[in-house]
Structures are given as structure tokens and as C-alpha cells.
Amino acid sequence: MNKPPLQISDPTCNMPDAAVNRLLAIMRQLRDPHSGCPWDIEQDLESIAPHTIEEAYEVADAIRTGNHGQLLAELGDLLLQVVFLSQIADEMELFDFSTVVEGISDKLLRRHPHVFSDGARVATAAEQSENWEHQKALDRQRSSSVSEMDDIAQTLPALMLAAKVQQRAARVGFDFEHSHAALERALDELDELMHACAEGNGDATRDELGDLLFSVVNVARILGIDAESSLRIATDKFTNRFRAVEKRMTDLNARFEDLSPEARDRLWENAKADISRDSRTGDQSSP
């Protein structure tokens, strides 16, 4: 028999259920200075942070590959990171796991007035995204932030960080009018990179390459394309083609260094054609 939904105002909403309580107890025992695990006892906020980032990526990879069993395991690993960091913070008398849960619950209520209060209803996901960003801006005002760039995590991957910075600037009107203008800027940056390369100026080349990458992310953002995902797709495509070339090299009993550039190009193009043909054949045989 289904239980009635818990009301948001119910104080038991703030209490972890038995499964979470068990996890919290396990974590406390692992951190016990007298009877815990030596490795767990030695950790601090800084040492756990890289593991948290890694686990988040492993969650994303499980989703990308459609491995739902792996997703279940990786979500548990990611939850462990939250519990681990919360336990350390509790020992430092900063906050505990319940405070984390209460904080995110309050934030969700605050940022969804169209669901939990008398705020105007939103009809689309795009409207909600705009409303979410508006609520975030209000949160920054309450916290006395002085810049749109405040509270952006500097440890984000470079492509994601660039897109986030550009989104914040665009929200206050600092943006290109259309994708063509952004693309022209990217082409200008490419010209500047070629000029720096021709001069042999290492520092300038590095800087101009960064400007080019930043401008390409801008083009992707304006086109509504996630640069991180787009680059990953391109990387996967290259990897699959390279594996096909490696197989051909094995069949030919040859080495890359023994081939002319023209021969390598032919192998690459043949691999692309084979993969494209196999993909089409697979699509035709699919139900």
C-alpha cells in the first residue's frame, strides 16, 4: 500500500531515513580516532575533494554509456563523498550532514516559487532555467556578492568554466548579437594564433590558443551546444577511428613510422568509411 506523500512542512522531512542513518554511522565509525580506518582518519577536506570530482565524472560516464548498474554503484560512491566531507566538517564544528540536506532543501524551495509558493507558473523548461538564474542572482545579492563572476567554481573543467563565465556575462547583456558574430571573433582569434606561431613567440602562442578556445566555446554556447559534450563526441569518434586504423596496421604487419603521410591518410579515410558503413548497416538492422 502506497504511503501518502510527505508534506514539505513536515519536520520529519529533515530527518534521514534508516538507510542514510546507517551510512552516516558507518562513516562516523570509519573516522573514529581510536577504532576507525587509518586511511579514512588521515583524510581532510582537501584530500577528499579530488575523489569527489572523480566520482562525479564516473557518474557522468555511467550515464553516457547507458550502464544503469554502474550508475547505481557510482551514485553510491558520489553520495559517500558528500557524507565523508560532511563528517569531516562536523568534526571541525562547521556543519553536519543534516545541515547540508536542510540547506539544499531550502534552496530548492526558494528557487522554485512557481511550485512551492505563489510565484507565477512557468510553462517550459527554458522559462524555468531563466527563473532559476534569476533566483540565483537574488541569492548572490543577499550574500553581498559584488560581481556576476562571484561564486563560479574555479575548479570546473576549463571548457565548462569558460561557458559558465560567458553565461554570466550574457545574462547582463554582455554578449554577441548572434552566432555569426561570435564565429567571426573565433576566426579573428585563429588569425592571431597563426601570426603568433609564425613569429615563434611561445608565450603569445599559448595566449592566442587560449583566446581561440574561449571564442569557440562562445560559439557553441550561442548555438545551444554544450562544448564539453561536443568535444567528447569528437574525441570518441577519433578514438574509434584510430582503433580501426590500428587493426588495419596489425593486419598489414606494419608500423606507423614505416608509412608515408599519404599512406597514413589513406588508412584513416578507409577507417572512416568502414565505420560509417558499419554504422549505416547497424541502423538498417535495428528494429
Side-chain angles (χ1 to χ4, degrees):
M1 182 176 180
N2 293 332
K3 296 181 180 179
L6 206 60
Q7 297 301 310
I8 297 300
S9 58
D10 191 321
T12 60
C13 281
N14 295 324
M15 299 298 293
D17 64 16
V20 176
N21 270 329
R22 178 170 177 249
L23 176 58
L24 294 173
I26 291 171
M27 191 70 253
R28 284 194 298 270
Q29 181 61 47
L30 289 172
R31 288 281 297 179
D32 186 278
H34 304 295
S35 58
C37 169
W39 186 88
D40 291 277
I41 295 169
E42 288 181 2
Q43 304 313 306
D44 56 22
L45 296 177
E46 288 74 22
S47 67
I48 292 299
H51 297 284
T52 307
I53 295 170
E54 181 179 352
E55 296 300 348
Y57 276 117
E58 291 180 359
V59 167
D61 194 59
I63 294 171
R64 183 181 67 86
T65 58
N67 189 333
H68 296 156
Q70 190 67 22
L71 176 59
L72 171 62
E74 297 302 345
L75 285 173
D77 291 343
L78 184 58
L79 176 59
L80 172 61
Q81 302 307 306
V82 178
V83 169
F84 206 148
L85 290 167
S86 298
Q87 175 62 31
I88 296 173
D90 190 12
E91 295 165 8
M92 298 170 65
E93 298 184 352
L94 300 174
F95 54 82
D96 61 10
F97 181 78
S98 292
T99 311
V100 173
V101 175
E102 290 167 5
I104 187 59
S105 297
D106 290 344
K107 181 185 291 186
L108 288 171
L109 293 173
R110 187 169 62 251
R111 293 189 178 177
H112 293 83
H114 56 289
V115 175
F116 299 111
S117 65
D118 296 329
R121 302 296 296 176
V122 294
T124 66
E127 276 188 64
Q128 168 52 19
S129 294
E130 184 176 346
N131 186 61
W132 178 270
E133 292 300 330
H134 174 68
Q135 293 296 329
K136 287 173 65 175
L138 292 177
D139 285 346
R140 283 195 296 277
Q141 291 175 11
R142 294 187 189 101
S143 64
S144 302
S145 294
V146 296
S147 170
E148 286 290 327
M149 300 301 160
D150 286 349
D151 78 10
I152 298 178
Q154 297 302 302
T155 52
L156 285 170
L159 290 179
M160 293 176 65
L161 177 60
K164 179 69 72 172
V165 165
Q166 292 164 5
Q167 289 166 0
R168 289 286 181 87
R171 191 165 58 232
V172 295
F174 193 86
D175 200 5
F176 293 101
E177 292 185 3
H178 44 70
S179 60
H180 186 69
L183 185 56
E184 286 182 340
R185 174 62 59 84
L187 293 174
D188 289 342
E189 297 296 351
L190 177 59
D191 286 340
E192 293 179 11
L193 173 61
M194 294 176 67
H195 183 70
C197 288
E199 289 186 338
N201 187 328
D203 289 341
T205 299
R206 179 203 60 206
D207 291 347
E208 296 300 344
L209 178 60
D211 290 345
L212 175 60
L213 291 171
F214 188 85
S215 63
V216 169
V217 172
N218 230 347
V219 173
R221 177 186 59 82
I222 294 173
L223 291 174
I225 298 172
D226 178 65
E228 191 83 21
S229 299
S230 182
L231 179 57
R232 184 172 293 278
I233 291 170
T235 302
D236 287 346
K237 187 188 302 181
F238 177 89
T239 300
N240 291 334
R241 291 173 179 174
F242 188 80
R243 290 182 188 277
V245 172
E246 285 181 314
K247 185 178 183 305
R248 284 179 172 268
M249 294 293 291
T250 299
D251 294 341
L252 295 172
N253 195 26
R255 301 181 306 170
F256 284 110
E257 54 265 35
D258 296 332
L259 299 178
S260 66
E262 293 77 16
R264 288 198 297 269
D265 287 344
R266 283 196 299 272
L267 279 173
W268 183 256
E269 293 303 321
N270 289 338
K272 287 171 60 177
D274 289 347
I275 291 174
S276 178
R277 182 179 61 252
D278 291 345
S279 176
R280 289 196 301 272
T281 302
D283 289 343
Q284 291 171 356
S285 62
S286 299

